[in-house]
Amino acid sequence: MTQGETTLVVENTAIAPVVGPEIANGHLVIEGDRITAVGGGPAPAVPAHARRIDGTGCLATPGLVNTHHHLYQWASQGLAQEATLFEWLVTLYPIWARMDAEIVRGAAGAALAWLAKSGCTTASDHHYIFPRGRGDLFAAEIDAARTVGLRFHPCRGSMDRGRSDGGLPPDEVVESLDDILAETEKAIDAYHDPAPGSMLRVAVAPCSPFSVSTELLTRSAELARDRGVRLHTHLAETLDEEEHCLEQFGVTPVEYLDRLGWLGPDVWLAHAIHLHDADVARLGETGTGVAHCPSSNARLGAGIARVCDLLRAGVPVGLGVDGAASGEMTPLAGEVRMAMLMQRARYGPGALTARQALELGTLGGARCLGRQDEIGSLEVGKLADVALWRIDGFHAAIDDPVCALVYGRTPPLARLLVGGATVVEDDELRTASQDTLGAAGAQAHRRLMRGVR
Ligand SMILES: [Zn+2]
């Protein structure tokens, strides 16, 4: 893959830039890894050597941003199919305890290829299980992201509160506080790139209030702020979690995090479903982001997040497919649609427009990851992370291109660019063999499940 060495021109395409007016027929010019022009009609004078993409029949949008995932879960899909979150976790923890670096590499490659094929250009991941002596699991997922070619925000997750300490996970899948802090620092030193245009940024991400100690939350926040990286965790996913927090700490999950100094513009929280009005207001006041994962939340019967209320309160809201074990084969573009439909199911047909849903999947996600100045919209000076959707063919019976993208089945991708480099073309992954990655994902599943069933 050449990272945008030449000038690239996309012409004759509809453009939904997310920021600024939509364009019925226009152009994008990309030089290196940046957008240098966006506008109506043909491109202005460009060098003769420029590569040209004819976008006839297409809609260009910013590449989608995935704000919450567990890539390793590609290897444990289809299990505990009718379980609540806590039942599902109790079933899956012992299976995940068998994971090694090879399983993570296979699962992550398949999951990231699947994301790319659904329009994702930036993916975050939350990896929180590190069984001892099984190789470098964090390095394995980073290797997979480099292979697929996506911008990557891996979160070094952790759990230190096993069953013997009143937590939910079995003791064999938790680490000691000292090991977690040391390994997290090592991951930041080895991989975090704060430079503009970065392809990889590391975040610090203790798993959830019911699987980590108060001290781990506090020390993680200190570490993240000391190193200038972001903080992530699961929060308020189920009422069981709220009961746990009320019982153990005497406060709601949001109040618990607030008490620990965990709310702020450098933090984004997965799910945030069961919120009181005061919690919503507090997330807004502090600029704390939310990763909304509608399919996973529906699959586990966890509930429907108050996305409309969160947006009204000024909370940055992005979308996430969540791990494939609770959102089997969820495509990210499908989450844009699902977010819109679920808000309407709860609040009525005017609750969330197609354009608002697209904004959640792009600029909202970029805000969660602290990248809103670089990605999430098609504007001059931003990184050339672009999805070019094919809205001719069956989709051409809808006149509004954004409606054609969001309302129905996701259209095929004519092109997916990350920093100007082609990752998907004609709906096929181009950076690596999607057949090979798919087979490696299935092999990871077989290896993980060997002897379990
Ligand atoms: Zn999750």
Side-chain angles (χ1 to χ4, degrees):
M1 182 176 68
T2 52
Q3 192 74 26
E5 279 168 5
T6 56
T7 303
L8 181 63
V9 181
V10 185
E11 290 177 299
N12 307 317
T13 180
I15 303 173
V18 172
V19 172
E22 289 177 16
I23 299 164
N25 190 321
H27 64 270
L28 286 165
V29 181
I30 294 158
E31 288 179 43
D33 63 356
R34 301 272 164 177
I35 297 169
T36 55
V38 188
V46 289
H49 66 261
R51 288 182 294 139
R52 288 177 183 273
I53 296 172
D54 181 9
T56 302
C58 292
L59 168 67
T61 69
L64 303 180
V65 178
N66 188 50
T67 58
H68 187 65
H69 207 330
H70 311 287
L71 297 170
Y72 71 86
Q73 290 182 11
W74 191 270
S76 59
Q77 298 184 66
L79 306 173
Q81 292 181 12
E82 286 84 33
T84 64
L85 173 70
F86 280 15
E87 293 162 355
W88 175 91
L89 283 167
V90 167
T91 305
L92 287 164
Y93 281 137
I95 296 171
W96 294 337
R98 304 155 54 92
M99 188 164 39
D100 61 23
E102 196 183 332
I103 288 170
V104 171
R105 187 177 283 101
L112 288 162
W114 190 248
L115 276 179
K117 281 170 62 64
S118 67
C120 173
T121 49
T122 297
S124 95
D125 185 53
H126 186 183
H127 192 103
Y128 54 84
I129 294 187
F130 293 90
R132 268 174 290 280
R134 303 288 176 77
D136 191 337
L137 277 58
F138 203 66
E141 65 165 334
I142 286 169
D143 185 46
R146 286 179 175 151
T147 300
V148 176
L150 296 190
R151 214 175 287 288
F152 196 40
H153 284 227
C155 305
R156 207 303 179 175
S158 52
M159 301 194 293
D160 72 336
R161 193 151 168 258
R163 250 176 235 152
S164 58
D165 290 325
L168 194 66
D171 289 349
E172 69 263 29
V173 297
V174 305
E175 299 171 278
S176 73
L177 177 69
D178 289 345
D179 283 353
I180 290 166
L181 295 171
E183 290 299 319
T184 305
E185 281 238 67
K186 254 167 58 183
I188 296 167
D189 289 338
Y191 302 113
H192 180 69
D193 175 10
S198 173
M199 288 293 286
L200 201 152
R201 291 201 183 152
V202 175
V204 180
C207 187
S208 64
F210 52 85
S211 59
V212 311
S213 65
T214 302
E215 190 179 1
L216 176 55
L217 284 167
T218 306
R219 300 279 299 272
S220 294
E222 286 168 5
L223 171 62
R225 281 157 184 160
D226 181 46
R227 299 299 306 267
V229 302
R230 298 180 80 75
L231 273 170
H232 181 51
T233 191
H234 293 96
L235 202 80
E237 185 172 359
T238 64
L239 287 171
D240 289 342
E241 178 187 326
E242 175 158 309
E243 274 164 34
H244 174 90
C245 284
L246 287 169
E247 205 178 286
Q248 297 268 331
F249 315 115
V251 287
T252 69
V254 169
E255 289 166 346
Y256 177 51
L257 285 197
D258 202 5
R259 180 193 280 180
L260 302 178
W262 246 77
L263 302 184
D266 56 342
V267 181
W268 84 107
L269 308 170
H271 309 304
I273 299 170
H274 299 282
L275 302 179
H276 302 274
D277 289 346
D279 297 332
V280 173
R282 190 68 188 132
L283 294 179
E285 275 163 23
T286 54
T288 308
V290 166
H292 176 46
C293 306
S295 291
S296 168
N297 299 160
R299 196 278 203 191
L300 289 170
I304 301 173
R306 299 171 58 181
V307 171
C308 298
D309 295 335
L310 290 166
L311 291 175
R312 266 193 290 276
V315 175
V317 180
L319 298 180
V321 298
D322 205 357
S326 66
E328 281 80 357
M329 309 286 294
T330 301
L332 185 53
E335 288 305 82
V336 175
R337 178 179 188 233
M338 188 63 84
M340 180 183 77
L341 295 180
M342 296 294 256
Q343 289 306 297
R344 290 177 181 207
R346 180 162 178 173
Y347 298 106
L352 202 68
T353 67
R355 284 161 177 84
Q356 286 175 309
L358 179 62
E359 184 170 342
L360 296 182
T362 53
L363 194 58
R367 291 176 72 197
C368 285
L369 302 185
R371 302 296 298 267
Q372 67 274 21
D373 294 337
E374 292 198 292
I375 59 173
S377 62
L378 301 180
E379 294 179 273
V380 171
K382 280 203 163 179
L383 289 163
D385 290 6
V386 183
L388 194 63
W389 308 94
R390 184 119 254 148
I391 53 166
D392 49 6
F394 284 109
H395 289 83
I398 303 175
D399 291 331
D400 174 356
V402 176
C403 176
L405 170 63
V406 177
Y407 270 64
R409 184 177 188 275
T410 303
L413 273 174
R415 198 70 82 118
L416 186 78
L417 303 171
V418 177
T422 295
V423 172
V424 175
E425 186 177 353
D426 296 335
D427 230 22
E428 292 268 328
L429 195 70
R430 297 296 178 188
T431 44
S433 159
Q434 65 185 46
D435 290 345
T436 303
L437 292 174
Q443 172 68 6
H445 169 67
R446 284 193 295 274
R447 283 197 59 230
L448 184 66
M449 299 307 295
R450 196 175 292 158
V452 173
R453 291 184 295 198

